[in-house]
Amino acid sequence: MNTIKSRTEEHLHTILSNKSELRSIDPLHVANDDELLAQIGYKQELNRHYSTLQVFGIAFSIMGLLPSISSTIYTGLESGPVGLVWGWFVAGIFILCTGISMTILGSSMPTSGGLYYYTNYYAPDSIRVPLSFMIACSNSLGLVGGICSICYGFAVEVLSAVYINYDGNFEITNAKCYGIFAACVISNVIICCLTTKHTATLQTVSICVNSFLCLLFLIAVPVGAGKSYGFNDAHYIFGDLDNTRTWNSGWSFMLSWMPAIWTIGAFDSVIHCSEEAKNAQRAIPYGIIGSISVCWIVGWFIVIVAVACIKDGDTAAALDSATGSPMAQIIYDALGKQWAVAFMALIALGQYLMACSIMVAASRQIWAFARDEGLPFVYMYVKYVNPVIKVPIRATMFAGCISLLLGLLVLINGTAGSGALFSLAVASNILAWGVPVLLVILPYGRKRFIPGPFYLGKIGSFLVNLTTVCWITYVIIMSMFPDQRYIDKNTMNYTCVINVSIWMLSLVYYFVWGYRTYSGPKSNLEEIDSINGEIPPENLDQMLADEKEKV
């Protein structure tokens, strides 16, 4: 027994001592983006084409207000108008705090690997490598879950438009839903394998499309509803708590915060694309805080208008709509068949652009993880960057393949499976956001932290970060709960199974095998120089010494 114990201790010591060197980073005294990236430990491999507006567009496009609200409005309305309207408003306050915390970190060290890099940098030496490995896996899974949930929303919106167009003479099945989902994922992969310049332009297009959709909805639907049947009164909009869940009204109201949490999410995508942004330290604050603020305020007006235009104030009828989408039913009642079909087609277009944007963000996170030799099994293949167009094509294809596999949940179990896809994106991403923020407020991380251009001072930053950690802890717990109190195969929330399994398996994999290749974020400056035919000074000295020995 003593021998086994000794070997185990020796093995654990070997694993935990295998860690890359922490670099000295001074974010306030750098000449340009490339110099700061070199301090972080990486050479510029991707093209910097994203302007500040396009960086904002990445997050704003992924949030895609009207399409996202259309995809998640059912969850909000399950506790009546109060759950949707006030749940959105209250959740938005805490989401903004989380975004500010992300901005503080991102403006200090803008790199594609962002969240797991911060975890490795601010965690104590004894746990930093396995913890950063788990966060990298969680963040990668969360972004892929985002692809799945957005593409699923696209499929539902397309099918709703077809159902309305055929006057209900069309059957919506899980197989049809998955077929459209798969087509969306595959076409997204093809589009995102274009050059960064083209995908950057796509963000500008997405801003225009989503802004037009919001404006059109806020004007056309109220006009149509006002002419057809009138608006619901203020008491219904702001005070009707009509709980249709089997949970008590209080907890049901809390669960109805999920539309805002899911919609105003994935703002870490700005950090993952920071190695392609011009003036990243300035672009990150505009991208994260700007997109959250706009979506929070404009989104609140959209949900108010949606609730005001529910026909006859019949929440149950909207929830039970045969179209499969309460938003489609609201638009149909207000504007009629032709407008409803056109509107749902435009919303589906907005949702499709959201999928393209999050595919870009997910591929950059996966590529960064593979660059650090952490992505299990396939990192050598996935970390390749096409030298001509400078796009991580293989990482994009990998993200698409994993999305297609996770999407099978919809085929196996439609309602529970789709719910798992939405909650999966929330739980995995939000853990990845929370851990580095927690580490920065703890003594070890606080000593190492050097702020970038965006900083609220010691006290202000500490209070915001503390709020973020409390909020994230609460949301992780909430996202694991099933939608109904009594659980069966149709109401089970599979998020807890998938997420907890991934978190545990990532740690098991690291301690069994992953430690052999992953030692935390590692510099690729020498590796890239060698590939380009440039010999680093220390290697040059060694080569000269070897030549002298030969002589």
Side-chain angles (χ1 to χ4, degrees):
M1 290 297 292
N2 287 333
T3 303
I4 294 173
K5 182 180 178 181
S6 177
R7 288 178 178 175
T8 302
E9 289 175 350
E10 183 180 350
H11 179 65
L12 287 175
H13 176 73
T14 301
I15 293 173
L16 296 177
S17 62
N18 179 35
K19 44 184 177 281
S20 57
E21 181 182 356
L22 292 177
R23 304 178 67 85
S24 177
I25 302 171
D26 185 358
L28 291 176
H29 299 91
V30 289
N32 52 45
D33 291 316
D34 292 357
E35 184 180 320
L36 178 55
L37 189 60
Q39 280 192 22
I40 293 171
Y42 303 117
K43 189 163 183 175
Q44 187 69 48
E45 294 184 76
L46 308 177
N47 286 324
R48 289 191 181 270
H49 282 301
Y50 288 112
S51 66
T52 299
L53 178 64
Q54 289 167 336
V55 169
F56 164 85
I58 294 168
F60 183 72
S61 177
I62 293 174
M63 293 176 190
L65 267 179
L66 190 58
S68 291
I69 293 171
S70 299
S71 298
T72 57
I73 191 172
Y74 186 98
T75 304
L77 282 175
E78 282 187 286
S79 59
V82 164
L84 181 62
V85 173
W86 290 116
W88 183 282
F89 184 81
V90 175
I93 298 172
F94 295 105
I95 294 168
L96 183 59
C97 286
T98 307
I100 293 172
S101 295
M102 289 292 99
T103 299
I104 292 171
L105 293 173
S107 68
S108 175
M109 292 188 289
T111 176
S112 295
L115 303 174
Y116 75 86
Y117 190 102
Y118 308 148
T119 301
N120 180 77
Y121 199 80
Y122 298 121
D125 274 354
S126 58
I127 61 170
R128 64 182 174 90
V129 179
L131 186 60
S132 69
F133 183 84
M134 186 187 76
I135 292 303
C137 291
S138 183
N139 196 198
S140 300
L141 177 68
L143 288 167
V144 171
I147 295 171
C148 292
S149 54
I150 290 172
C151 290
Y152 173 78
F154 169 79
V156 170
E157 286 153 6
V158 168
L159 290 171
S160 296
V162 174
Y163 183 91
I164 293 171
N165 188 56
Y166 282 95
D167 297 318
N169 296 318
F170 177 80
E171 184 181 4
I172 298 175
T173 65
N174 291 338
K176 290 174 183 175
C177 190
Y178 183 79
I180 298 173
F181 165 89
C184 181
V185 171
I186 293 168
S187 58
N188 281 168
V189 169
I190 294 170
I191 290 173
C192 293
C193 285
L194 298 173
T195 64
T196 306
K197 188 173 183 179
H198 292 155
T199 53
T201 304
L202 190 65
Q203 307 314 314
T204 305
V205 174
S206 185
I207 292 173
C208 295
V209 170
N210 278 291
S211 299
F212 172 75
L213 276 173
C214 293
L215 188 62
L216 185 63
F217 179 84
L218 290 172
I219 294 173
V221 173
V223 169
K227 289 181 178 179
S228 300
Y229 48 82
F231 303 113
N232 297 310
D233 59 25
H235 175 73
Y236 173 80
I237 297 170
F238 298 105
D240 187 10
L241 181 61
D242 184 13
N243 182 25
T244 61
R245 294 186 178 96
T246 50
W247 294 105
N248 62 56
S249 297
W251 186 242
S252 180
F253 172 73
M254 300 291 189
L255 290 176
S256 290
W257 295 10
M258 288 301 289
I261 294 169
W262 186 83
T263 299
I264 316 176
F267 41 79
D268 60 313
S269 57
V270 172
I271 296 174
H272 298 310
C273 295
S274 60
E275 291 184 32
E276 298 164 89
K278 302 172 185 176
N279 196 359
Q281 290 181 294
R282 176 177 177 271
I284 286 174
Y286 278 100
I288 295 178
I289 297 177
S291 60
I292 292 173
S293 300
V294 170
C295 288
W296 175 31
I297 296 168
V298 177
W300 196 49
F301 285 114
I302 288 175
V303 297
I304 289 173
V305 168
V307 169
C309 296
I310 293 176
K311 188 175 182 180
D312 301 326
D314 192 346
T315 308
L319 289 172
D320 295 335
S321 171
T323 65
S325 169
M327 184 64 82
Q329 189 63 48
I330 291 169
I331 296 171
Y332 179 81
D333 290 336
L335 300 174
K337 173 183 171 180
Q338 291 183 338
W339 264 98
V341 172
F343 232 119
M344 292 310 296
L346 286 171
I347 289 174
L349 173 62
Q351 190 92 353
Y352 187 85
L353 292 173
M354 288 169 59
C356 289
S357 296
I358 199 169
M359 182 70 76
V360 172
S363 65
R364 273 43 172 186
Q365 157 63 23
I366 290 169
W367 166 74
F369 192 26
R371 176 178 60 181
D372 289 323
E373 300 182 352
L375 191 68
F377 306 117
V378 294
Y379 65 89
M380 288 298 292
Y381 178 81
V382 173
K383 72 176 183 178
Y384 172 80
V385 175
N386 186 286
V388 177
I389 61 175
K390 295 188 175 182
V391 172
I393 291 176
R394 294 177 183 176
T396 306
M397 292 190 295
F398 181 82
C401 291
I402 299 300
S403 300
L404 290 172
L405 289 174
L406 281 176
L408 291 171
L409 282 169
V410 175
L411 198 58
I412 297 169
N413 192 323
T415 304
S418 62
L421 294 179
F422 284 91
S423 297
L424 176 66
V426 170
S428 295
N429 276 325
I430 211 161
L431 177 74
W433 302 343
V435 169
V437 176
L438 173 63
L439 292 171
V440 166
I441 66 177
L442 294 177
Y444 185 88
R446 192 163 64 246
K447 289 178 184 177
R448 290 197 56 83
F449 178 72
I450 300 176
F454 183 89
Y455 190 52
L456 301 180
K458 288 186 178 180
I459 297 176
S461 297
F462 176 81
L463 291 175
V464 168
N465 288 339
L466 183 61
T467 303
T468 295
V469 170
C470 294
W471 165 250
I472 280 173
T473 303
Y474 162 71
V475 172
I476 289 174
I477 294 171
M478 183 178 67
S479 66
M480 299 291 181
F481 270 77
D483 198 52
Q484 301 294 333
R485 184 173 183 177
Y486 303 104
I487 304 171
D488 57 28
K489 66 178 183 179
N490 294 317
T491 59
M492 171 68 182
N493 186 346
Y494 294 97
T495 304
C496 56
V497 179
I498 298 171
N499 274 90
V500 175
S501 296
I502 291 294
W503 296 336
M504 293 179 65
L505 287 173
S506 63
L507 290 176
V508 170
Y509 170 82
Y510 173 79
F511 281 100
V512 172
W513 186 263
Y515 74 93
R516 299 167 186 260
T517 58
Y518 181 75
S519 58
K522 59 187 71 173
S523 174
N524 69 346
L525 295 175
E526 293 181 14
E527 175 187 341
I528 300 299
D529 286 340
S530 300
I531 292 172
N532 292 337
E534 302 169 13
I535 304 172
E538 58 270 25
N539 290 2
L540 181 59
D541 292 340
Q542 184 62 47
M543 289 174 65
L544 291 173
D546 292 342
E547 289 298 322
K548 286 180 181 179
E549 277 189 29
K550 291 178 183 178
V551 173

